[in-house]
Amino acid sequence: MKKTSGTDRTVTRHWRPATRAVRGGTWRSEHGETSEALFLTSGYTYDDAATVAARFAGEADGMTYSRLQNPTVAMLEERIALLEGAEACRVQASGMAAMTAALLCQVSAGDHVVAARAAFGSCRWLVDHLLPRFGVETTVIDSAVDGEWDAAIRPNTKVFFFETPANPTLDVVDLGYVCDLAKARGIVTVVDNAFASPALQRPMEYGADVVAYSATKLMDGQGRVLAGAVCGSQQFVDDVLLPFQRNTGPNLSPFNAWVVLKGLETLAMRAKAQSVSALEIGKLVEPRVARILHPGLPSHPRHELAVRQMPDGTGPIFAFEVPGGREQAFAVLDALQLVDISNNIGDSRSLMCHPASTTHAGLSAEARTEMGVTEGLLRINIGLEDVADIAEDLDQALSAAGL
Ligand SMILES: *Cc1c(COP(=O)(O)O)cnc(C)c1O
């Protein structure tokens, strides 16, 4: 396999973001293919026994088994690291595989984790149920109140874990404040950046240690595959994450890696265009509903911070609350003609869901109330359709539901 400048770090680290998104990480085989090759292989062959022995001993570069290395997967890892501004990245089979690996690779019984209460349902499950089963203490806080982070720290606090903006209530965390606090106290920050993507927000610029993704969302962006990613320093990835990942095997398939590589080529354009439409639609929806949770609107409690942390757009997703509870929320969903009822986000299609009965149905009613996931809450992902068509559909659906 011929390496081209796509993996020559001295060259690619100087490329501007748009160039990194299209060319970063590309390796070309002896055929000189234009688009990245898809290596659907689980294993590798060797010219002689000494070669494979050297590779297993770590004395020679080269592939040995696709749970450990795969050329297509390696291209994606290098491209995501370049977009994130991270020293290294490893990809996983889904966003949840990424979050699980990012936490379990570094905590042990007796450690303490502080996590944001507003979070994707399965992320909350890791914090509320999985970690405590293995003797890891957890504390859940209101991540948008800076003082709660400080107050939750114990002598054994190892990790801060949060999303910003958070699913589904769009809580915004002050990245600079929380990362500085963590650094001063020797705590590792793990940021789930799925709602923003590296096109809109790069938490490492604020000092985040680990940035983790559901690449299923904006990175694929076309609703095709599940994928996840964990970015960090070379030392974290090599010494902390890799021993866990190589031995537990939450690997991403080369095919799915290839699909996400293609998605990254258009990520910035999609994320920015969808953010513009989401702001326009948010402004139309705001006067019609009881409450809107949109980081791009001045009514958001941390609007100024959100715009500072995401200057190129606050993302395609927002939530709003209808006064008539579940019945009225379902009436809005059932009246939609263009926007699909779907719980996915980051897709190029506009999608709407009722978090209390779908993404957050697995949580206790108390946990939902505490997070602000009310019965009248609806979450929408604004896609790449003509914004006038999305506006017309929402107008008629809100009217049909009596709003
Ligand atoms: C979707 C999502 C996840 C989980 O990702 P999967 O790819 O569905 O496993 C984790 N965190 C956030 C914020 C998400 O939106």
Side-chain angles (χ1 to χ4, degrees):
M1 179 141 217
K2 191 172 103 193
K3 286 196 182 189
T4 69
S5 58
T7 50
D8 181 347
R9 288 184 161 204
T10 55
V11 173
T12 57
R13 300 263 154 181
H14 289 97
W15 285 347
R16 291 160 187 84
T19 311
R20 295 177 175 200
V22 177
R23 290 178 174 268
T26 302
W27 285 7
R28 289 198 171 118
S29 76
E30 67 273 28
H31 304 298
E33 64 281 350
T34 314
S35 174
E36 296 76 10
L38 173 49
F39 288 89
L40 282 178
T41 183
S42 47
Y44 303 88
T45 60
Y46 316 93
D47 287 342
D48 52 65
T51 300
V52 58
R55 288 188 191 175
F56 271 82
E59 290 157 4
D61 286 340
M63 311 274 155
T64 54
Y65 187 56
S66 279
R67 178 153 43 73
L68 311 183
Q69 317 93 358
N70 176 279
T72 309
V73 171
M75 288 192 247
L76 175 63
E77 291 172 336
E78 179 63 13
R79 189 169 295 174
I80 293 176
L82 280 168
L83 291 178
E84 194 61 46
E87 286 177 10
C89 168
R90 285 292 177 272
V91 292
Q92 295 80 21
S94 68
M96 286 322 302
M99 302 307 153
T100 306
L103 293 174
L104 286 187
C105 74
Q106 58 178 324
V107 296
S108 304
D111 288 340
H112 175 236
V113 172
V114 179
R117 71 179 184 197
F120 186 69
S122 295
C123 292
R124 272 301 293 267
W125 185 87
L126 296 181
V127 169
D128 293 347
H129 300 285
L130 184 74
L131 294 179
R133 263 174 41 201
F134 296 95
V136 177
E137 299 168 24
T138 62
T139 303
V140 170
I141 61 157
D142 182 347
S143 60
V145 178
D146 293 343
E148 293 208 11
W149 289 99
D150 208 351
I153 297 174
R154 299 179 192 168
N156 57 339
T157 303
K158 184 83 183 276
V159 170
F160 280 173
F161 178 45
F162 60 94
E163 301 165 17
T164 183
N167 191 354
T169 46
L170 287 298
D171 292 18
V172 171
V173 176
D174 187 332
L175 283 165
Y177 173 81
V178 176
C179 294
D180 282 354
L181 174 67
K183 276 226 161 33
R185 306 293 288 272
I187 296 164
V188 177
T189 38
V190 177
V191 183
D192 177 344
N193 199 36
F195 265 46
S197 89
L200 301 180
Q201 175 175 270
R202 286 167 300 282
M204 284 184 177
E205 291 173 0
Y206 298 85
D209 299 299
V210 179
V211 180
Y213 283 99
S214 169
T216 314
K217 311 296 167 55
L218 274 165
M219 286 190 181
D220 169 24
Q222 288 146 86
R224 300 168 294 192
V225 298
L226 295 183
V230 178
C231 302
S233 67
Q234 197 73 52
Q235 186 270 335
F236 174 82
V237 168
D238 289 350
D239 300 345
V240 184
L241 178 65
L242 269 183
F244 177 87
Q245 176 153 343
R246 290 179 157 192
N247 293 299
T248 58
N251 299 63
L252 182 63
S253 87
F255 179 78
N256 290 358
W258 182 84
V259 172
V260 178
L261 268 171
K262 298 286 109 187
L264 291 180
E265 294 179 7
T266 56
L267 170 65
M269 292 171 69
R270 286 184 286 102
K272 287 175 194 169
Q274 290 178 243
S275 296
V276 170
S277 294
L279 193 54
E280 196 172 327
I281 298 292
K283 287 178 186 158
L284 296 175
V285 168
E286 185 165 29
R288 307 270 298 265
V289 298
R291 189 165 72 113
I292 190 160
L293 305 164
H294 190 318
L297 290 174
S299 56
H300 188 282
R302 293 196 126 180
H303 170 64
E304 278 167 31
L305 174 66
V307 173
R308 222 181 318 128
Q309 291 183 168
M310 294 180 281
D312 292 330
T314 51
I317 305 141
F318 67 91
F320 58 92
E321 199 173 322
V322 297
R326 180 179 290 223
E327 199 184 329
Q328 195 171 34
F330 277 22
V332 173
L333 287 169
D334 292 341
L336 294 168
Q337 292 170 358
L338 168 70
V339 178
D340 292 304
I341 303 175
S342 173
N343 44 287
N344 197 15
I345 51 168
D347 198 299
S348 53
R349 289 158 198 77
S350 294
L351 309 171
M352 198 192 287
C353 83
H354 179 246
S357 61
T358 58
T359 51
H360 292 70
L363 298 178
S364 67
E366 301 86 77
R368 278 200 297 272
T369 307
E370 183 196 72
M371 291 168 72
V373 179
T374 60
E375 288 294 318
L377 192 76
L378 289 164
R379 188 193 69 192
I380 187 164
N381 170 74
I382 301 296
L384 288 172
E385 304 95 338
D386 191 311
V387 69
D389 288 327
I390 307 170
E392 275 174 24
D393 192 35
L394 281 176
D395 177 40
Q396 67 78 24
L398 292 172
S399 297
L403 291 159

